[in-house]
Amino acid sequence: MQNSKESVHISPSEWRWVILFSGALVLLAFIPFLWVAITGASGTGMQFMGIFNNPFDGATYLSKMQQGYEGSWLIYFRHTSEQHSPVFIQVLYPLLGHIARLISIPTIALFHVARVVASLIMYMALYHFGATIWPRQRARRIFFTVVAVGSGLGWIGILFGIESPDLTIPEIYPFYSSLVNVHFPFTLACIAFIASVLISAFRPGNNYVPSLNNGGGAVALLTFVLSLLYPQAIVPLAGAVTLYALIHGLRQRVFPLRELRWLLLLILPALPMAAYYAAVLNYNLTAMEWNRQNVTLSPAFWLLLVGLGVPLLMAIPGIVRALRRFEQDGDQFMIIWFIVMLVAMYMPTNYQRRFAVGMMIPIAYFVTRALEGYWFNFVNRRWRYRLLMAVVPTITMSYLLVLLSNLSITVGPFLERDYVAAFQWLKQHPQTDEVILASPDVSVWIPGWVGARVVYGHPFETMNAVEKELQVISWYSAQNDADCKALIDQFSVKYVIIGPQETAIGATKCTDILDPVFNYGSVTVYAP
């Protein structure tokens, strides 16, 4: 382990290796985009909407960026039809919208530029974390490789109809996070930096109290950033420091004042935003409903084990050693952090899976400890790297499956190209408080592409989402004027879209009471 009196030293050659490795991962993440650029989805009549992985949540990020582009810092849920008070959440995306306006580039382009920047910062933060612990380059590179590209056995489970976390919970896995959005990689970078400071502070022989020049200021700043990006990430870290302080105090029979000071740096900077979130969720009815619907439950525990797969199996000797010896050289804090994550994931809350963010960091830590202290003892020195090269493909196969799944034209990332012409026409006509009716798969893109609101567009950000989705589907199958007019009046609909996605729902007769105002190919826009 790194000597307690040494500062972290990473040579220029190491940084070059990290940058090359990270750059390769970023390029790999953009292979589906290269496929779209080369093929152009030509001959299919389909238009790529800008986001592959988790496109429905991605569409909400574009909506928030669009609002920033318009000059706002507060967020309206434009995926719902109700007028409501705006809220100060997910500020990163309005910020990106402001930047997009200042430098005059499309919001979707800046979204992906920011995703690249966030990913590179995340990878460098992860390597810095490894360098904080291990002085040897071999151990640092092993840790970085496992944490960066490690995944589970989802690629096998999918054959049996099982979707494990390595295919569904990107915030656990750094590479998967880099495919999905901007705030996941930034969150993992903050977590890695905070954990590296705490590991150094709690190392045997280090008894300093937090200050600006020993990482205390950085922890406070990054905690505040996390309260804006991903507040749930603070809970396992603060819980781990709390438990560490209690254990240290009991074992040393002293009041753990120093550890509690570090704990305060993980709590106090987040309190202003915690108080704001509590007020908003209690007094803003729309935000309250959003929070009620925004349920992200953890998978069954056995599915989590499948999702951690080979890395978890490799880590077992390191975990056993940490539990048995419970040494203060890093094992102590890392095993406590890992256990607190697991407990938080299965507490009765709406945010269970969100507490798993960054779980691959302690897993990769224990993998590295196990390889260096256990598994390599059974392998000839010449065969160690060869064995690792054989193992690496087994821990990356799930990502290959994720990337390959993007190389198909499906509704979600793609829509019929005629819709884009309708979106462009609508963008020139409606105000942002006007409501557009379209099928669910079309509506999800309207707030980000057009800037208007929709009746139903997202399972979390549409108020009374289940009921409204059924209403929209029923409207496109309605056969009498009364049913058609009822929904139009209820939600003050200004425009209605009829295209391939809508006619697939039903052959509505509601167009009889509407006037066509725009047509392009298979898509027609109507007004009541």
Side-chain angles (χ1 to χ4, degrees):
M1 305 289 280
Q2 191 90 340
N3 189 291
S4 63
K5 295 183 180 180
E6 290 181 355
S7 61
V8 177
H9 175 71
I10 304 175
S11 67
S13 62
E14 283 184 87
W15 278 127
R16 284 194 294 271
W17 181 85
V18 173
I19 292 171
L20 286 173
F21 197 139
S22 304
L25 293 178
V26 169
L27 289 175
L28 182 64
F30 274 86
I31 282 180
F33 295 86
L34 182 63
W35 170 75
V36 169
I38 292 174
T39 65
S42 58
T44 66
M46 303 295 281
Q47 169 71 41
F48 177 51
M49 302 306 292
I51 297 175
F52 274 114
N53 299 98
N54 199 4
F56 297 109
D57 282 352
T60 69
Y61 307 143
L62 294 183
S63 172
K64 295 172 177 65
M65 289 181 67
Q66 176 62 30
Q67 293 176 60
Y69 196 94
E70 295 164 4
S72 176
W73 287 100
L74 301 179
I75 294 301
Y76 288 90
F77 296 114
R78 287 182 175 172
H79 284 81
T80 194
S81 56
E82 292 84 357
Q83 292 278 11
H84 57 273
S85 299
V87 290
F88 186 71
I89 59 170
Q90 294 185 326
V91 67
L92 174 63
Y93 293 105
L95 171 62
L96 291 175
H98 281 274
I99 295 172
R101 185 183 74 252
L102 289 174
I103 61 179
S104 299
I105 68 171
T107 54
I108 185 61
L110 187 62
F111 176 86
H112 291 298
V113 170
R115 197 161 60 84
V116 169
V117 172
S119 299
L120 292 174
I121 292 173
M122 173 188 69
Y123 290 131
M124 289 190 286
L126 291 170
Y127 191 85
H128 179 269
F129 174 87
T132 302
I133 299 170
W134 291 284
R136 296 180 63 187
Q137 283 191 28
R138 183 180 75 178
R140 296 175 178 184
R141 291 185 177 186
I142 289 173
F143 168 80
F144 180 75
T145 301
V146 175
V147 76
V149 301
S151 66
L153 298 173
W155 56 284
I156 295 177
I158 199 70
L159 299 176
F160 302 96
I162 297 171
E163 287 193 348
S164 62
D166 52 330
L167 300 176
T168 58
I169 309 182
E171 51 264 54
I172 293 179
Y173 311 91
F175 179 74
Y176 195 2
S177 292
S178 74
L179 301 177
V180 174
N181 57 39
V182 182
H183 68 283
F184 283 177
F186 272 136
T187 295
L188 290 174
C190 292
I191 291 173
F193 277 126
I194 290 173
S196 66
V197 173
L198 295 175
I199 286 286
S200 296
F202 297 156
R203 187 174 289 145
N206 285 355
N207 296 310
Y208 52 79
V209 296
S211 66
L212 289 177
N213 60 3
N214 63 14
V219 169
L221 175 62
L222 293 175
T223 298
F224 179 71
V225 171
L226 280 179
S227 73
L228 298 174
L229 287 175
Y230 201 114
Q232 294 87 354
I234 301 171
V235 174
L237 284 168
V241 175
T242 301
L243 191 54
Y244 178 90
L246 290 173
I247 292 172
H248 182 73
L250 291 172
R251 297 180 80 179
Q252 301 295 324
R253 296 184 179 180
V254 296
F255 186 75
L257 181 61
R258 185 178 72 95
E259 288 78 7
L260 291 179
R261 288 176 176 174
W262 284 102
L263 175 61
L264 289 176
L265 292 182
L266 286 170
I267 296 177
L268 294 180
L271 284 182
M273 289 308 302
Y276 173 76
Y277 294 144
V280 165
L281 296 179
N282 278 284
Y283 298 107
N284 185 311
L285 295 179
T286 304
M288 190 186 303
E289 176 68 4
W290 164 71
N291 183 61
R292 184 190 68 80
Q293 296 180 145
N294 194 0
V295 178
T296 52
L297 299 180
S298 293
F301 188 71
W302 70 271
L303 271 179
L304 178 64
L305 298 181
V306 173
L308 297 175
V310 174
L312 179 60
L313 293 174
M314 295 169 64
I316 288 175
I319 294 173
V320 171
R321 180 185 185 277
L323 290 170
R324 187 176 68 249
R325 299 187 182 183
F326 208 56
E327 296 172 334
Q328 199 180 340
D329 61 350
D331 283 2
Q332 203 172 97
F333 178 76
M334 295 302 288
I335 194 64
I336 291 173
W337 186 24
F338 181 50
I339 291 172
V340 169
M341 278 187 183
L342 290 174
V343 172
M345 281 185 69
Y346 293 96
M347 292 289 286
T349 69
N350 282 3
Y351 314 110
Q352 290 180 340
R353 62 175 263 187
R354 297 181 186 274
F355 296 125
V357 60
M359 184 173 282
M360 276 305 296
I361 296 175
I363 292 291
Y365 169 87
F366 288 116
V367 168
T368 309
R369 293 284 274 163
L371 285 171
E372 293 284 359
Y374 182 81
W375 294 114
F376 281 168
N377 295 332
F378 301 97
V379 180
N380 184 283
R381 185 180 298 272
R382 289 186 303 171
W383 284 90
R384 289 176 181 174
Y385 277 111
R386 298 176 187 177
L387 179 63
L388 284 177
M389 291 302 102
V391 169
V392 167
T394 68
I395 66 174
T396 60
M397 288 296 291
S398 289
Y399 298 144
L400 181 61
L401 185 63
V402 170
L403 290 172
L404 288 176
S405 68
N406 291 327
L407 304 183
S408 60
I409 299 175
T410 57
V411 173
F414 292 85
L415 280 181
E416 286 81 1
R417 195 167 291 148
D418 294 344
Y419 282 106
V420 176
F423 288 175
Q424 290 170 345
W425 183 86
L426 286 165
K427 192 169 185 177
Q428 305 302 318
H429 288 76
Q431 302 298 314
T432 56
D433 61 347
E434 292 179 345
V435 179
I436 297 174
L437 174 63
S439 67
D441 287 333
V442 175
S443 292
V444 70
W445 297 107
I446 289 173
W449 278 67
V450 178
R453 291 181 290 131
V454 294
V455 177
Y456 171 87
H458 194 269
F460 297 160
E461 297 197 2
T462 300
M463 303 303 102
N464 303 309
V466 174
E467 177 185 341
K468 277 191 180 177
E469 184 179 19
L470 291 175
Q471 284 181 279
V472 169
I473 292 172
S474 297
W475 190 89
Y476 280 104
S477 303
Q479 299 298 311
N480 64 76
D481 291 353
D483 291 339
C484 294
K485 195 172 186 305
L487 184 139
I488 297 292
D489 292 342
Q490 180 182 355
F491 299 113
S492 302
V493 173
K494 178 69 174 180
Y495 294 104
V496 177
I497 296 178
I498 304 289
Q501 296 300 318
E502 289 72 28
T503 55
I505 295 174
T508 183
K509 291 187 176 180
C510 290
T511 53
D512 294 344
I513 63 169
L514 304 173
D515 297 319
V517 292
F518 176 81
N519 174 260
Y520 188 89
S522 60
V523 175
T524 302
V525 178
Y526 293 86

